[in-house]
Amino acid sequence: MMDEQRMDGSSGGAPHAAAEPVNGPLDTMAAEYVIRDPRTPMPWMNYLFNDTYCALVSATGGGYSFQRCARDRRLLRYRLNNLPADRPGRYFYVRRRDTGAYWSAGWAPVQRGAPDGCFECRHGLGYTCIRHQQKEVDQEILYVVPRNADLELWRLRLTNRAPRAVALSVFSYAEFCLYQAEHDLSNFQYTFNIARCRALGSVIQHETWTRRYGLFTFQASSLPPVGWDCDREQFMGTGRGEHAPRAVEQGACTNSTCLHGNPIAAFQVDFELAPGETREWVLALGFAEQPQEDTAARLAAPWLQPGAVERALREVRAHWQEQCEHFVVETPDAGMNTVLNGWHPYQAQTTFRLSRGPSIYEGGIRRGLGFRDSCQDTLGVLHAEAPAVRRRLLQLAANQFVDGRSRHQFFPLSGQGAEDHCWDTHLWLVLALCAYLRETGDWDLLAEEAPFVDGDPAPVAAHLAAAVDFSLAHLGAHGLPRLGRSDWNDCLQLPGPNGGAESVFIACQLAGALRELAALAAQRGAVEHARHRLEQAEELSARINAVAWDGEWYARAFDDYGRAVGTSGNAFGRIFLNAQTWSIMAGVAAPERARRALAAVARWLDSPFGPRLLNPPWEEFDPAVGALSDMPAGLKENGGVFCQAVAWAVIAAAQAGAAEQAWRYYRQLLPGHAVRPAAYEAEPYVYAQMIIAPPHPRAGTARNSWLTGTAA
């Protein structure tokens, strides 16, 4: 069973024993996850990236690529929620010329032959290696993104295990996206008619936007091809899919050019392998701006030389080992050590770069960088990436309005953004920036100017003040900050004609932010300002305790009509997790109330998979609550185990001295832990956004993996 596999690929034993890496000695700082059955319940992905280029790669070669922005510079096409799943991808087809039998070097998409005992995928930090044995031929595919190039490398190695020579034809396949991913998926009356793709010797160039924007994608081959195709329909044939291309079945490409339809890169290379012989083929898939006729060949050439892929792999592994060494954990728990010293820092780096956009769940089309998300993600990489965090904080400040609100999300290339009226979003800038200052002592950042969306540049210190002052200026009937459209729980909307709903979560967050600014002012010698901010925090804390304490726990909110949400008087959603944890994290709850709130969490919210976000969940849609009640009970915001909220429960319990409770929640949250049921389905080596909770019939199933603030 895939969910029972461990870091060593076994079916039991220690939950996180590090596997032997592809190259070099055992390295616990770069532990691989080994997958021995390609039929994973969901595509089990890896993210391969540098500062500008990213490739999502599944255990069978599926996924897509982009340069800088997953919406506006998508290079490879991917069909989300498709049947069969995980299509298309980075494929190699292998065909025996004597019999015509063919298969996939990475098992998919042909899926021919029993995978048991002859398949292995090793996901590592920055690379993925797939090995597959078929018809007495061993195949090994390595995918890696070099540290400083806008391209990815595919290396195929073929070894003949037969006692006689074998003649093979090998076909590569990549399906280009016409850059703007949303149009590529829907606007065929236009996109089909602008497609341009041609072969120039050992290079295939996708030139759709070259004439207008000076952009093009290419794939270059280390071996001279005997054939190629640039038109998907010519390569695939009528009525066929990726599992049975006509060119592979017939043993020859058509040498097509694409001037309409679906551009692809498909090369054909022929091999004659003696018994025991190994041959290698390298492809470089990349992106360039303002190309000349020889640009693709020139960019690819250094990476197609003998040994270049091996050097790129060594550099990538060395980079991630250095990154992980900034924070090393040695505890009696081997599983905790392995994930905190490898996969979790890697996941935190991934979310820091990509926020919540490009995945197999989101697709990178609907949203770019989330403001709230990006602030949270800085916390997981600050110790290793302080200069990059500084740049991101300035970028975030530039997406704030003069009155203190912020955009909810924005696209890094176009600068386009949306506000969305989630009124916790702007406060995350205060928490992130103060964490940066504590780590670095970079006080000059406070004086550095950043523009407002709707105003002139101002010092970063003014951006921080504007954030808290906006929330203080928009209080509701109970003296708590207003909710806006929603807060961190985007689906808890509490609509009404007056827009007067109040959030206890934002109130706690604001109290914490005010305390951060008070400490910052005191550090800078601004005694009076520090006293003023601390007084504001204490007044708000007293108000929360006066109006939101329900006897055993804190209410979550007050709706537009002043009615409490998240109290013992409610039929659904009587208790919410975040109000309890943030009252402790922000210093609002006195020790006795903190103890009682955590006891209520343990009594009413605990599940076998971690504490739920709320309980009891709504059973039917409730217009007074909004989108939250759209979801079935136990799913996502409606009573699911929201992993980032569980991380806050770990922090709150630890701060309150409830060590056993903190440890229990941490172990429940830990990916790949032995208590996970067979239903988990998502990757067991990274955190997911949520785990379905009882009473849902699929309790224990995880979704929205990788891009979650949980790792940070």
Side-chain angles (χ1 to χ4, degrees):
M1 301 289 292
M2 295 311 303
D3 53 286
E4 294 175 343
Q5 288 185 323
R6 305 300 178 225
M7 290 291 185
D8 63 352
S10 66
S11 298
H16 289 287
E20 181 184 354
V22 172
N23 298 285
L26 183 67
D27 183 357
T28 58
M29 300 299 292
E32 296 168 334
Y33 193 86
V34 180
I35 300 165
R36 302 196 190 280
D37 186 345
R39 298 165 296 190
T40 55
M42 292 288 293
W44 283 7
M45 307 300 294
N46 199 2
Y47 282 75
L48 318 180
F49 57 88
N50 56 36
D51 290 338
T52 57
Y53 190 96
C54 180
L56 285 73
V57 181
S58 76
T60 56
Y64 59 91
S65 306
F66 59 93
Q67 196 265 358
R68 294 184 62 191
C69 181
R71 183 188 70 169
D72 297 328
R73 287 192 180 175
R74 183 75 61 90
L75 308 185
L76 293 185
R77 182 178 284 162
Y78 192 72
R79 288 180 279 279
L80 299 173
N81 200 27
N82 195 39
L83 279 177
D86 199 29
R87 298 286 189 276
R90 304 161 178 83
Y91 299 140
F92 289 100
Y93 301 89
V94 183
R95 182 182 187 274
R96 290 189 58 146
R97 295 211 298 274
D98 55 349
T99 66
Y102 66 91
W103 59 90
S104 297
W107 187 72
V110 177
Q111 300 183 353
R112 185 161 293 158
D116 298 337
C118 64
F119 176 89
E120 178 183 272
C121 170
R122 289 176 176 257
H123 280 323
L125 308 189
Y127 62 92
T128 287
C129 184
I130 301 172
R131 296 178 177 132
H132 183 215
Q133 183 181 24
Q134 183 79 355
K135 304 293 185 183
E136 299 179 311
V137 178
D138 288 352
Q139 297 115 152
E140 179 190 274
I141 308 170
L142 175 70
Y143 300 110
V144 64
V145 171
R147 286 298 308 145
N148 297 296
D150 279 334
L151 53 79
E152 61 191 77
L153 301 174
W154 311 0
R155 184 184 68 190
L156 174 67
R157 283 178 172 168
L158 299 172
T159 302
N160 180 14
R161 298 300 182 193
R164 58 198 173 281
V166 63
L168 303 172
S169 291
V170 182
F171 302 80
S172 66
Y173 183 81
E175 188 170 340
F176 290 122
C177 178
L178 280 79
Y179 293 108
Q180 217 294 337
E182 186 173 14
H183 288 279
D184 180 76
L185 292 172
S186 59
N187 190 10
F188 302 130
Q189 61 85 25
Y190 181 66
T191 57
F192 280 2
N193 294 295
I194 61 173
R196 295 173 182 268
C197 192
R198 59 176 175 149
L200 297 170
S202 296
V203 176
I204 289 177
Q205 295 190 174
H206 171 215
E207 302 172 340
T208 298
W209 289 115
T210 299
R211 289 163 177 79
R212 180 182 293 188
Y213 300 115
L215 310 175
F216 81 101
T217 309
F218 63 86
Q219 186 160 55
S221 168
S222 66
L223 300 176
V226 299
W228 64 85
D229 270 306
C230 301
D231 187 305
R232 187 182 74 177
E233 280 59 47
Q234 294 301 312
F235 181 79
M236 288 294 175
T238 303
R240 295 168 177 260
E242 295 98 338
H243 68 289
R246 181 178 62 189
V248 175
E249 191 169 284
Q250 295 181 353
C253 285
T254 69
N255 294 351
S256 61
T257 295
C258 181
L259 292 175
H260 170 273
N262 295 286
I264 64 168
F267 285 114
Q268 178 184 349
V269 173
D270 290 346
F271 291 94
E272 300 280 346
L273 293 179
E277 184 182 6
T278 297
R279 296 283 300 277
E280 181 175 294
W281 184 22
V282 177
L283 295 171
L285 178 105
F287 169 88
E289 298 183 73
Q290 305 303 326
Q292 304 298 319
E293 188 72 13
D294 66 341
T295 298
R298 179 168 41 82
L299 291 175
W303 303 104
L304 302 178
Q305 300 301 313
V309 176
E310 202 68 29
R311 288 194 297 273
L313 178 61
R314 284 198 301 268
E315 290 172 1
V316 165
R317 295 190 69 228
H319 169 78
W320 286 112
Q321 179 159 336
E322 187 274 332
Q323 288 288 302
C324 292
E325 285 175 346
H326 284 275
F327 180 79
V328 179
V329 171
E330 186 65 38
T331 77
D333 188 306
M336 182 178 183
N337 297 342
T338 298
V339 294
L340 282 178
N341 294 336
W343 279 102
H344 293 355
Y346 192 72
Q347 184 179 4
Q349 291 272 7
T350 305
T351 57
F352 170 66
R353 284 165 170 77
L354 305 178
S355 191
R356 306 297 178 269
S359 70
I360 62 169
Y361 303 95
E362 175 68 39
I365 296 173
R366 187 178 61 90
R367 56 183 297 166
L369 297 176
F371 190 101
R372 169 208 296 155
D373 305 323
S374 294
C375 288
Q376 295 168 356
D377 295 339
T378 64
L379 305 176
V381 301
L382 180 53
H383 60 286
E385 290 273 15
V389 169
R390 191 184 202 274
R391 293 190 294 271
R392 177 57 53 82
L393 291 171
L394 288 169
Q395 184 183 32
L396 290 164
N399 280 275
Q400 187 183 20
F401 296 92
V402 170
D403 65 4
R405 292 169 299 128
S406 68
R407 285 172 166 162
H408 193 59
Q409 59 201 43
F410 58 95
F411 287 92
L413 273 180
S414 67
Q416 295 174 337
E419 182 185 350
D420 209 24
H421 300 282
C422 297
W423 279 7
D424 70 308
T425 305
H426 52 280
L427 292 173
W428 290 102
L429 181 63
V430 180
L431 302 178
L433 208 141
C434 288
Y436 170 83
L437 294 173
R438 280 198 304 274
E439 180 76 18
T440 65
D442 179 15
W443 307 112
D444 292 342
L445 179 58
L446 291 170
E448 192 156 335
E449 292 197 338
F452 288 102
V453 172
D454 56 346
D456 296 329
V460 166
H463 285 261
L464 300 183
V468 296
D469 289 342
F470 176 85
S471 295
L472 289 168
H474 292 81
L475 304 178
H478 294 85
L480 304 182
R482 285 164 56 190
L483 179 74
R485 188 189 71 85
S486 62
D487 59 26
W488 176 88
N489 187 335
D490 295 308
C491 295
L492 179 64
Q493 296 171 340
L494 306 181
N498 306 309
E502 299 162 276
S503 168
V504 176
F505 171 88
I506 296 178
C508 293
Q509 182 190 21
L510 176 59
L514 289 166
R515 287 192 171 92
E516 291 278 24
L517 291 185
L520 176 60
Q523 179 72 26
R524 303 290 287 158
V527 178
E528 284 303 309
H529 187 64
R531 181 188 58 78
H532 172 62
R533 289 304 192 192
L534 189 58
E535 285 178 353
Q536 289 177 315
E538 294 298 339
E539 290 172 5
L540 180 57
S541 297
R543 209 173 304 139
I544 296 168
N545 278 295
V547 302
W549 182 251
D550 191 46
E552 296 297 327
W553 62 81
Y554 287 92
R556 179 61 171 82
F558 294 91
D559 69 12
D560 193 49
Y561 304 98
R563 298 172 301 200
V565 177
T567 70
S568 56
N570 298 124
F572 301 103
R574 285 195 291 271
I575 178 172
F576 284 70
L577 179 60
N578 282 358
Q580 320 320 314
T581 57
W582 273 81
S583 68
I584 298 168
M585 291 167 61
V588 171
E592 177 58 22
R593 284 196 173 179
R595 184 192 65 78
R596 291 164 72 179
L598 286 172
V601 169
R603 181 178 181 185
W604 300 110
L605 295 176
D606 277 11
S607 82
F609 320 108
R612 291 165 284 192
L613 201 56
L614 62 88
N615 197 38
W618 274 261
E619 297 174 355
E620 302 290 343
F621 177 72
D622 183 351
V625 174
L628 182 151
S629 59
D630 270 330
M631 301 169 187
L635 192 62
K636 219 164 181 273
E637 282 92 346
N638 190 17
V641 175
F642 218 97
C643 296
Q644 187 177 3
V646 179
W648 291 332
V650 174
I651 295 170
Q655 286 185 202
E660 291 300 324
Q661 192 171 2
W663 183 248
R664 183 171 75 254
Y665 294 158
Y666 174 80
R667 293 296 292 174
Q668 288 175 318
L669 196 60
L670 197 63
H673 187 258
V675 302
R676 292 293 170 85
Y680 187 70
E681 295 191 359
E683 297 95 330
Y685 42 91
V686 291
Y687 288 114
Q689 180 204 64
M690 69 97 185
I691 304 168
I692 302 174
H696 195 282
R698 296 196 64 188
T701 300
R703 284 294 184 269
N704 293 25
S705 56
W706 274 100
L707 300 187
T708 163
T710 309

